[in-house]
Amino acid sequence: MTDMGIRIAVVIPCRDDAEMLAACLRALAAQQRPADRIIVVDNASSDDSASVARAAGAEVVAESLVGIWPAAAAGYDAASADADVIARLDADSRPHPDWLVRIDRAFTADAGLGVLTGGAEFYGSTRLVHYLGEHWYIGGGRFWINLWLGIPLVFGSNFAMRAGVWARVRDQVRRDDARVHDDLDLTIHLRRDDGVRWDPLLRMPVSSRPLVHPRGLAERLGKVIPTFAASWPRGRFRAAVRQPVRPWRRLGTNSGGRGSGPTLG
């Protein structure tokens, strides 16, 4: 436990990724502002992911329903018991030493901030693949979601939210459906008054594995339409449908504070 003003719990969904998880936990141990809790969700792993987590001092929560959304949701539930802010990354994330410092400062300074997210720095492949991943895969998704919903796309490998935001949406999202994107589904169910902000300086090194394996990339892109379809009558997307997009009204970059992004309607 830290002497900081807010309690931050870090959630890491993990399935058969012990080696990557070990490196992620080492990066978390080197944080300038330590986490108050680190929760690794063992998603029916057949390797020693759980033992790696325990050896590093992390808590282990078991989730037998395979899928990132079921695993992440189980972690958020566990974290919300005593955390003010739930931070999320993945086993292949390598947080910079100031990652939690930035999160702490942002939420402490702005009581209206509900969700803070940032971008990616891909590693493990060529410069071209890294560039396309950052600017096309992640950057493109952020652009279109901004345009459609008027809030930034929450990047599942690099974001934090107040526990109160999770308490509001936990029974609305498709948390038990492994066919949908967990971060996109969460974004769809957020509201503008949740205070969603994208910070261009909050960057996360993540593995380029999904970009270099066609099957992995196809699987991720293939979840986009099912995610919107699953949430069609609910959440933020319903409001967007009622208010046709008029991007010429006011376009922003969402690099600043709340409400600085594209406006719908």
Side-chain angles (χ1 to χ4, degrees), residues 87-143:
R88 157 76 190 279
L89 41 61
D90 287 317
D92 62 358
S93 300
R94 302 289 181 271
H96 292 298
D98 65 347
W99 184 61
L100 288 177
V101 166
R102 290 184 177 277
I103 289 172
D104 189 310
R105 289 175 178 169
F107 282 95
T108 299
D110 186 357
L113 176 64
V115 182
L116 181 70
T117 190
E121 296 174 353
F122 286 93
Y123 67 83
S125 187
T126 66
R127 289 184 179 181
L128 177 60
V129 169
H130 298 166
Y131 179 87
L132 291 175
E134 180 178 346
H135 296 278
W136 177 75
Y137 181 62
I138 301 298
R142 185 172 64 248
F143 173 81

Side-chain angles (χ1 to χ4, degrees), residues 30-62:
Q31 291 292 296
Q32 296 167 1
R33 190 277 196 211
D36 294 284
R37 297 174 67 190
I38 298 176
I39 300 170
V40 173
V41 183
D42 179 20
N43 196 204
S45 296
S46 59
D47 68 359
D48 59 347
S49 293
S51 60
V52 165
R54 293 189 181 97
E59 303 172 40
V60 176
V61 171

Side-chain angles (χ1 to χ4, degrees), residues 15-260:
R15 175 172 167 80
D16 293 334
D17 217 358
E19 184 176 350
M20 286 286 191
L21 176 62
C24 177
L25 292 171
R26 286 194 295 270
L28 284 174
Q31 291 292 296
Q32 296 167 1
R33 190 277 196 211
D36 294 284
R37 297 174 67 190
I38 298 176
I39 300 170
V40 173
V41 183
D42 179 20
N43 196 204
S45 296
S46 59
D47 68 359
D48 59 347
S49 293
S51 60
V52 165
R54 293 189 181 97
E59 303 172 40
V60 176
V61 171
E63 174 52 61
S64 59
L65 182 58
V66 174
I68 296 179
W69 220 169
Y76 303 156
D77 285 345
S80 60
D82 62 356
D84 302 300
V85 172
I86 303 168
R88 157 76 190 279
L89 41 61
D90 287 317
D92 62 358
S93 300
R94 302 289 181 271
H96 292 298
D98 65 347
W99 184 61
L100 288 177
V101 166
R102 290 184 177 277
I103 289 172
D104 189 310
R105 289 175 178 169
F107 282 95
T108 299
D110 186 357
L113 176 64
V115 182
L116 181 70
T117 190
E121 296 174 353
F122 286 93
Y123 67 83
S125 187
T126 66
R127 289 184 179 181
L128 177 60
V129 169
H130 298 166
Y131 179 87
L132 291 175
E134 180 178 346
H135 296 278
W136 177 75
Y137 181 62
I138 301 298
R142 185 172 64 248
F143 173 81
W144 287 110
I145 294 302
N146 251 330
L147 197 63
W148 292 334
L149 303 183
I151 60 174
L153 171 66
V154 173
F155 176 34
S157 296
N158 182 20
F159 83 96
M161 63 180 166
R162 292 194 189 271
V165 172
W166 175 244
R168 184 182 69 76
V169 302
R170 66 180 300 276
D171 294 324
Q172 300 176 18
V173 297
R174 309 287 292 198
R175 55 180 290 157
D176 295 329
D177 193 341
R179 299 170 301 171
V180 305
H181 271 299
D182 62 305
D183 45 7
L184 177 56
D185 186 40
L186 175 62
T187 305
I188 290 171
H189 286 85
L190 294 174
R191 305 182 304 220
R192 290 183 189 174
D193 60 9
D194 283 322
V196 187
R197 191 172 82 208
W198 176 67
D199 180 357
L201 300 180
L202 188 73
R203 300 179 62 78
M204 178 66 68
V206 293
S207 173
S208 58
R209 291 180 298 178
L211 307 177
V212 297
H213 297 293
R215 180 178 177 182
L217 182 59
E219 179 182 352
R220 284 163 174 78
L221 294 177
K223 288 183 177 181
V224 173
I225 292 177
T227 300
F228 274 114
S231 300
W232 174 270
R234 302 165 62 184
R236 292 282 292 106
F237 194 58
R238 177 173 55 187
V241 172
R242 289 201 303 264
Q243 303 177 56
V245 174
R246 300 184 181 94
W248 56 87
R249 285 282 298 277
R250 195 178 81 199
L251 283 176
T253 62
N254 267 298
S255 60
R258 292 183 295 126
S260 62

